[in-house]
Amino acid sequence: MMPIIFFDGICGLCNKTVDVLIRADKKQIFMFAPIQGSTAAGLISEIVQSTHGETIILLHNSKVYTHSDAVLQICRQLDGAWRLVTIAGIIPRFIRDRIYQFISRNRYRWFGKNAVCRIPTERERSRFLP
């Protein structure tokens, strides 16, 4: 199973991040699914509920990563300068997650909120799950 990145489909920051990841993922190893969709409901609904959908979630090799751990794992899979982000792994998780949660709590205010989930382009459609 390919790694799946679950993201908040109505979050402006999350959608911009997905755009960047699609461009950075030259090997096309990631699939994407909104946390509001049926794939998330079937695979990770308990995690979405426990985090109130305020995190990016990575499902990779039957393991679930959330918050800053998800970001680090995603960057580990990408080529080039993205791997430099993993240096942040030396920062204790409780500090990384506090920073992550601060951004998450303010993301709608800073980056906006869409009325509907992101709709992939024709070219992106094969990489998105419902």
Side-chain angles (χ1 to χ4, degrees), residues 53-96:
E54 293 181 353
T55 185
I56 190 168
I57 300 168
L58 173 66
L59 177 60
H60 182 50
N61 292 333
S62 301
K63 191 166 181 184
V64 176
Y65 301 90
T66 62
H67 300 90
S68 64
D69 285 342
V71 173
L72 293 175
Q73 287 297 323
I74 291 166
C75 290
R76 231 176 234 120
Q77 303 300 316
L78 297 173
D79 291 329
W82 288 99
R83 291 198 179 176
L84 293 175
V85 174
T86 62
I87 292 169
I90 64 172
I91 300 169
R93 181 191 298 161
F94 78 94
I95 295 171
R96 286 186 279 123

Side-chain angles (χ1 to χ4, degrees), residues 6 13 15 20-21 24 26 28 32 35 39 45 47 51-52 61 75 79 101 107 117-118 122 126:
F6 295 92
L13 173 62
N15 283 292
V20 169
L21 289 174
K26 305 287 186 209
Q28 298 187 359
F32 300 90
I35 59 171
T39 302
S45 63
I47 295 159
T51 63
H52 307 288
N61 292 333
C75 290
D79 291 329
Q101 290 164 346
R107 71 190 190 277
C117 285
R118 179 188 201 284
E122 189 69 38
S126 66

